[in-house]
Amino acid sequence: MRSIYLLSVTLLFFCILIRPVTSQASHVRAGEITTKRISRTALTYEITFTAYFDETPGGKLAADAANSYTLCFGDGTTAVVERSQRTFINRNTSSINIYKAVHTYPGPGTYTIGITVVNRNNNTLNLPPAGQSAQLPFFVSTTISINAALLANSTPVMLNPPLDSGRVGQKFCHNPAAFDADGDSLAYRLSIPKTSPTENSCTGRNIPSYQNPTQFSTATENGGTPTFSINPITGELCWDSPGQAGQFNFAFIIEEWRNGVLIGEITRDMQIFIVDSPNKRPIIQPIPDLCVEAGALITQPVTATDPDGQRVIIAGFGGVFNIGADRLPLPASELIPPAYARLINGDIAQNQPATATFSWQTSCNQIRQAPYDVTFKVTDVPQRPTPALVSFQTFRIQIVGPSIKNLTARPTATANGRAIQLSWSPYSCGNPGTYIAIYRKEGCDDRPVPPCTTGVPPGYTKIAQVPVTATTYTDTSSLRRGISYAYRLVAVYPDVNGGSNGGVSLASNQACLNLPLLAPVITQVTVDSTRDINGQITLKWTRPIGLNPGDLGAPYQYRLQRATGLTGTTFTPIATINTTLSPTANDTTFLDRGTTASPLNTTANPYRYRIEFFYTDATTQQLTRLDVTEAASSVRLTATPANRQITLAWQASVPWSNDARVHDVYRSRTGPNGPFNKIREVTVQAQPYSFTDDGSDAFTADGNTSRALSADSSYCYRVMTRGQYTDSQLSRLGLLLNYSQVICATPTDTTRPCPPTLSLDSLNCASLTSESFCNQTSFTNQLRWTPGSGPTCDANIATYKIYYARYRPDSLQALTSVAAPTTSFAHSSLTTVAGCYYVTAVSARGLESRPSNVVCNEACPSLALPNVFTPNGDGKNDVFVPLACPRFVERIEFVVYNRWGAKLYEGSGPTLSWDGRSSDGAELPTGLYYYQATVHYALLNRNAPPQILKSWVQIIREGSSLK
């Protein structure tokens, strides 16, 4: 095959001009590491290091010696890998070198594989100093994620060598032509070339001196600000535009994503050559992306021109060619299953405008969710020594699975009831593991599906999946008569690893069927009587709408069944009605009153009904079931008491819709037997429906019964629903009216009494005399209060509660209660009048008001001591005691001293009574003594400071008494 790398002359000329031949081992230009799992049972990978060496005289000796390197596997182990392949390209100025190793990893995890090559080639301008760039080791790495779910995962491969040339002042672009055989999504981002500290190092670091290529630019080719970027989707790397001739290195990373999870990264370190030349790069015409059904033959012309009128070479890169970066065929099915794409008239020089034809016979085993990227590279062929320039164009091919053909639907029946039989043509597209998914929706609107749109349109629900070999399916899941059902099928493909990246096919044609109405249709389940035992429900239905009396064998028969509960499924027979389907026969109404064995308790239960329809088989003359109605329940009403309100809620399990209708609410103030007045028309939305009754009556045509609800009364309710079938065939049956059972409830009442206003007969200390409360040890506090009133208070007061606290800071506790209408209380038997009170009112329902105002009474303390006493045993004035009428004394601490300050006596207690003796019982002689009395009073403040009395007292013992 003729090489397309016509830039070889340029490279050789360029290297001769700017690079002297040296003995330094400088040779590596570019490279990357790729991996491929080669076992489905072990974590064994084939790891390939692809290196691009400088084969010019300055690097050939080093390239010759590059027979092995140390490869780091990322799990703490290394191995020496030998060169297995060396292919010369670009007229022997460069080479592709392959180093392979097989390694088994110890377990799942994330591993970074790395390799160091010594050295780079010299004179790389953006790795300054350029004359010493050969001293920088070359390091690249690849990170892989290993887990059982990824199966035989492979990293992407890059099929376009990383060696290209560009021109000063002209935009340069390169595309690696990356391809992922697993169909994983690829994303691209720029990186920085790396080096390593030693020649066998397993870790790399950014080259500190690396300079962004734009630092060697002055402007874009259109005069704007220079840019250096990579397209994150296509991987096209562009420098707009180089401003200096020379050799440059840069790096980028390809991320590998599967199902939204990053599973690997591969770094490519690449090199380009910029020359200063008048040559203009060739132009390749844009190619639109394609979407084709598997099995289609793609024939896509690729046209290129050259502004300088030179011949051009068009080459193609991508996994669809199954050709490696060295332009040699890869092993069969290495990248894709055959057949492979061809580029007719590619890789040859043509006069311009040049055209090559991309041809690919696609097949079903090439279906995948990810598109195929095909990159075309056009190279001009100028006269020597002018360097050749290149341009790229990438287009995407989406191969989708063909639709399943000739889908039809017809009504049928099974032992379980109604069914729809689907049939379609055999489907043979897809790899092993492909299956057919069946989707259904209600309604037959068939909106056009945009071209190349895989999967079913919105609105469908998956109901089943069958093997790809199936050609029929019987749908029996929740089918309702009178409903139109639309079906579509798609094929679901596995990816090459058995995962879910294979995608789905185009949707089949829509098959739509309206199930014929061969059964009755229930129109009413209304509660006539609410009772525990012999309640009554009226059941009504239509004759089979889609059936004429002569269509099947008569006589016909309705078999009525009943289940308990809104959604009950345990149906028992309750009646059998023979019919000729005559429109004048009164055979479509049934009054269900229950039986002794099966009483109808409409008070406690809702009930659900269905009707089986039988015809007489003409052959056997036996009654044969044709169909059964959709089940319909009675309306179930509940009532929840609230504060002077009652909240009603109701619902029904019926085949028609009661939503977005006006329902009527009825109320009785005189019990379950009525009369019932309509009080509100409620516009409902979705179940459960609700309404809160506050006693008002918004519908006065039958009388105005508005009055606040009382917690002393019971109120009874029933509702009437309005509904209608939504199906177009049944909507003509009109509005369907159904009553609920009667339910009664009593509202609560959380209205509390108003708090009373409290007063207290308190002491006036200023008005007391020294004789007040003389010898009195029991006291009484007199409380009086006025009941509170207001429009939001309950005036029906049963009792008053009195709360008391001895000390002001303490919480007041319940003391006692008095029955209304008493509004006073005497708190007696107190040792002190000090204390605080409040009062609350309690309603007949036991609801207590907020506390009244707090009132407090304070004591008026008083104590006086004499200054002489005669403890001589004559019974007169023998002890030292307070003068008459001390008030509210709680405790006295008493200490006696002689004239020299010595303590003679100390005592304490609720009273003071000293007999003139010392603490050890000795009689103190006649004389003058000093004392300190610390007096604690029973006041409101628990910690009130005591009264300190300091004075003297005269003891007289000489046979006399104080008279």
Side-chain angles (χ1 to χ4, degrees):
M1 178 183 291
R2 178 177 177 178
S3 172
I4 68 165
Y5 300 99
L6 296 185
L7 68 157
S8 57
V9 175
T10 300
L11 297 181
L12 182 59
F13 173 75
F14 182 77
C15 294
I16 291 173
L17 288 179
I18 70 171
R19 297 180 57 188
V21 176
T22 69
S23 61
Q24 192 173 33
S26 62
H27 62 294
V28 66
R29 288 179 165 171
E32 70 263 354
I33 299 172
T34 56
T35 69
K36 178 181 180 181
R37 185 172 172 181
I38 57 176
S39 171
R40 286 184 175 266
T41 58
L43 302 179
T44 302
Y45 282 75
E46 181 184 76
I47 301 171
T48 302
F49 170 50
T50 303
Y52 296 84
F53 289 161
D54 183 355
E55 298 287 354
T56 64
K60 186 174 186 341
L61 291 177
D64 290 343
N67 293 316
S68 64
Y69 292 105
T70 298
L71 185 65
C72 305
F73 296 115
D75 59 358
T77 64
T78 63
V80 175
V81 290
E82 303 290 336
R83 177 162 52 191
S84 61
Q85 180 181 333
R86 183 181 185 185
T87 304
F88 292 95
I89 60 174
N90 295 358
R91 293 194 177 184
N92 297 332
T93 61
S94 300
S95 63
I96 304 176
N97 301 265
I98 303 298
Y99 302 81
K100 289 190 176 183
V102 174
H103 182 71
T104 300
Y105 284 91
T110 300
Y111 301 94
T112 298
I113 306 163
I115 197 167
T116 299
V117 178
V118 182
N119 297 80
R120 294 175 178 269
N121 56 355
N122 216 16
N123 294 316
T124 302
L125 297 185
N126 66 327
L127 301 179
Q132 298 178 21
S133 63
Q135 304 300 321
L136 290 171
F138 175 95
F139 181 88
V140 289
S141 65
T142 287
T143 299
I144 60 174
S145 179
I146 297 177
N147 63 65
L150 296 178
L151 300 176
N153 182 53
S154 301
T155 58
V157 295
M158 285 172 271
L159 303 175
N160 183 25
L163 303 173
D164 274 324
S165 59
R167 198 200 86 175
V168 172
Q170 188 168 251
K171 183 178 180 180
F172 164 82
C173 290
H174 169 83
N175 194 303
F179 181 80
D180 191 280
D182 305 321
D184 295 320
S185 298
L186 304 182
Y188 302 80
R189 73 177 194 269
L190 291 173
S191 184
I192 294 176
K194 289 181 170 51
T195 186
S196 59
T198 65
E199 64 181 61
N200 293 324
S201 176
C202 292
T203 58
R205 60 183 178 86
N206 293 341
I207 297 176
S209 61
Y210 169 77
Q211 293 179 323
N212 187 288
T214 56
Q215 294 181 244
F216 299 86
S217 304
T218 58
T220 65
E221 65 180 3
N222 295 324
T225 302
T227 60
F228 180 73
S229 62
I230 191 168
N231 186 306
I233 298 175
T234 65
E236 184 167 274
L237 183 149
C238 292
W239 179 8
D240 191 7
S241 64
Q244 183 176 339
Q247 172 182 291
F248 298 87
N249 267 75
F250 36 80
F252 59 87
I253 292 174
I254 304 178
E255 299 173 347
E256 184 182 11
W257 294 80
R258 180 176 298 178
N259 299 327
V261 178
L262 180 66
I263 62 172
E265 291 185 347
I266 176 172
T267 300
R268 167 175 268 192
D269 191 324
M270 65 171 290
Q271 190 170 86
I272 67 167
F273 302 91
I274 302 300
V275 296
D276 196 355
S277 166
N279 188 25
K280 297 183 179 64
R281 69 174 183 274
I283 299 172
I284 188 169
Q285 298 301 316
I287 304 172
D289 294 341
L290 294 178
C291 180
V292 299
E293 286 193 21
L297 172 64
I298 300 174
T299 302
Q300 174 64 50
V302 183
T303 302
T305 59
D306 185 81
D308 302 317
Q310 300 164 142
R311 292 186 302 163
V312 295
I313 298 172
I314 301 174
F317 300 86
V320 298
F321 297 103
N322 208 51
I323 294 174
D326 56 4
R327 307 303 290 161
L328 298 177
L330 295 171
S333 299
E334 176 76 9
L335 299 181
I336 68 166
Y340 311 125
R342 298 178 301 125
L343 187 63
I344 303 170
N345 291 330
D347 298 322
I348 61 173
Q350 301 182 61
N351 293 326
Q352 55 105 27
T355 299
T357 302
F358 173 80
S359 177
W360 186 18
Q361 178 59 61
T362 61
S363 63
C364 288
N365 57 8
Q366 293 162 343
I367 297 171
R368 69 178 196 177
Q369 194 170 20
Y372 292 90
D373 285 346
V374 180
T375 299
F376 295 106
K377 176 181 179 180
V378 56
T379 308
D380 64 4
V381 188
Q383 293 183 356
R384 297 180 182 180
T386 303
L389 300 178
V390 298
S391 291
F392 291 88
Q393 177 70 48
T394 298
F395 86 116
R396 292 190 151 188
I397 303 172
Q398 181 73 63
I399 297 181
V400 297
S403 62
I404 297 169
K405 303 297 192 293
N406 303 316
L407 175 64
T408 60
R410 67 177 182 85
T412 185
T414 68
N416 296 323
R418 66 190 66 143
I420 294 178
Q421 176 76 50
L422 303 179
S423 301
W424 59 90
S425 298
Y427 191 77
S428 59
C429 199
N431 294 317
T434 299
Y435 63 88
I436 293 175
I438 300 170
Y439 290 80
R440 186 185 77 188
K441 72 171 184 177
E442 293 185 5
C444 283
D445 56 312
D446 190 6
R447 300 176 183 177
V449 179
C452 204
T453 301
T454 58
V456 297
Y460 287 83
T461 301
K462 182 179 176 181
I463 60 170
Q465 68 182 52
V466 296
V468 71
T469 55
T471 57
T472 62
Y473 174 75
T474 301
D475 179 19
T476 60
S477 56
S478 303
L479 296 173
R480 293 182 292 154
R481 293 297 183 187
I483 301 298
S484 300
Y485 293 99
Y487 296 85
R488 285 188 188 270
L489 277 57
V490 293
V492 181
Y493 312 105
D495 65 16
V496 294
N497 287 325
S500 59
N501 278 352
V504 298
S505 72
L506 300 173
S508 70
N509 61 292
Q510 177 177 284
C512 198
L513 179 67
N514 193 324
L515 279 174
L517 292 170
L518 302 181
V521 176
I522 295 177
T523 58
Q524 189 175 67
V525 182
T526 189
V527 180
D528 304 317
S529 175
T530 304
R531 296 184 181 178
D532 296 341
I533 297 177
N534 55 347
Q536 178 176 299
I537 293 177
T538 296
L539 176 65
K540 291 184 179 181
W541 62 92
T542 70
R543 296 172 183 83
I545 295 176
L547 185 67
N548 295 315
D551 290 345
L552 296 172
Y556 301 94
Q557 190 177 85
Y558 303 117
R559 296 183 183 179
L560 281 58
Q561 299 174 341
R562 180 182 69 217
T564 303
L566 277 174
T567 57
T569 56
T570 305
F571 288 95
T572 58
I574 58 172
T576 297
I577 300 175
N578 293 320
T579 179
T580 61
L581 299 183
S582 169
T584 60
N586 185 18
D587 53 9
T588 58
T589 299
F590 177 75
L591 298 181
D592 184 13
R593 299 183 177 91
T595 63
T596 303
S598 179
L600 203 64
N601 184 353
T602 52
T603 301
N605 301 314
Y607 291 94
R608 195 169 183 229
Y609 297 85
R610 72 180 185 185
I611 304 171
E612 290 184 315
F613 181 66
F614 286 74
Y615 71 98
T616 301
D617 185 271
T619 302
T620 64
Q621 293 300 305
Q622 298 294 317
L623 284 171
T624 303
R625 194 180 91 154
L626 179 63
D627 210 337
V628 63
T629 66
E630 307 292 338
S633 77
S634 59
V635 180
R636 188 62 183 173
L637 176 64
T638 61
T640 303
N643 183 31
R644 297 187 178 183
Q645 295 179 333
I646 295 176
T647 298
L648 304 177
W650 62 97
Q651 58 184 321
S653 176
V654 292
W656 59 85
S657 173
N658 290 322
D659 295 345
R661 299 285 178 182
V662 174
H663 296 187
D664 296 344
V665 179
Y666 293 83
R667 180 182 64 209
S668 168
R669 292 181 177 269
T670 56
N673 295 324
F676 282 87
N677 290 85
K678 181 176 172 180
I679 61 171
R680 190 65 57 96
E681 293 180 340
V682 181
T683 301
V684 300
Q685 296 302 322
Q687 295 195 95
Y689 315 116
S690 64
F691 166 71
T692 298
D693 180 24
D694 59 3
S696 61
D697 186 347
F699 186 85
T700 59
D702 58 351
N704 189 346
T705 61
S706 294
R707 190 164 65 251
L709 300 185
S710 170
D712 299 322
S713 300
S714 178
Y715 303 88
C716 298
Y717 301 87
R718 71 188 307 205
V719 298
M720 186 193 76
T721 64
R722 291 179 175 86
Q724 191 168 19
Y725 279 97
T726 57
D727 180 79
S728 58
Q729 295 186 81
L730 300 180
S731 62
R732 66 176 183 267
L733 295 175
L735 290 178
L736 310 179
L737 309 181
N738 290 278
Y739 282 93
S740 73
Q741 91 286 6
V742 173
I743 191 168
C744 300
T746 300
T748 61
D749 192 343
T750 59
T751 304
R752 299 176 182 273
C754 287
T757 301
L758 177 63
S759 62
L760 170 67
D761 294 344
S762 59
L763 290 181
N764 182 357
C765 295
S767 65
L768 297 181
T769 68
S770 61
E771 305 298 324
S772 299
F773 302 118
C774 196
N775 299 320
Q776 183 175 338
T777 59
S778 178
F779 302 91
T780 299
N781 281 330
Q782 184 66 44
L783 303 175
R784 295 179 177 82
W785 58 88
T786 302
S789 62
T792 60
C793 299
D794 189 349
N796 188 14
I797 299 173
T799 60
Y800 294 97
K801 291 182 70 174
I802 296 94
Y803 290 79
Y804 167 72
R806 167 64 183 81
Y807 297 102
R808 189 190 299 273
D810 293 354
S811 297
L812 279 71
Q813 304 298 321
L815 176 66
T816 188
S817 296
V818 297
T822 301
T823 57
S824 63
F825 173 71
H827 189 193
S828 59
S829 301
L830 299 172
T831 59
T832 178
V833 297
C836 294
Y837 302 85
Y838 70 72
V839 178
T840 62
V842 181
S843 70
R845 294 184 182 85
L847 298 177
E848 190 172 3
S849 73
R850 290 182 291 105
S852 70
N853 56 302
V854 176
V855 296
C856 296
N857 205 359
E858 181 62 291
C860 299
S862 176
L863 182 134
L865 296 174
N867 58 11
V868 63
F869 73 106
T870 59
N872 53 12
D874 64 358
K876 299 178 181 179
N877 201 27
D878 285 333
V879 293
F880 183 73
V881 295
L883 297 176
C885 305
R887 292 197 299 267
F888 306 114
V889 175
E890 198 168 52
R891 188 174 80 257
I892 301 176
E893 299 163 3
F894 186 68
V895 182
V896 178
Y897 303 88
N898 63 18
R899 67 178 62 190
W900 295 282
K903 182 188 295 185
L904 302 176
Y905 173 80
E906 184 175 11
S908 66
T911 63
L912 174 59
S913 181
W914 180 44
D915 60 2
R917 295 175 182 269
S918 65
S919 293
D920 56 5
E923 291 185 352
L924 297 178
T926 298
L928 186 68
Y929 296 89
Y930 298 92
Y931 68 83
Q932 177 175 303
T934 302
V935 185
H936 297 268
Y937 294 101
L939 303 176
L940 268 178
N941 186 352
R942 184 194 302 273
N943 299 312
Q947 181 184 18
I948 307 297
L949 300 177
K950 295 181 179 181
S951 189
W952 56 270
V953 60
Q954 178 75 37
I955 296 179
I956 301 174
R957 291 185 179 276
E958 286 77 10
S960 62
S961 62
L962 188 65
K963 297 182 180 179

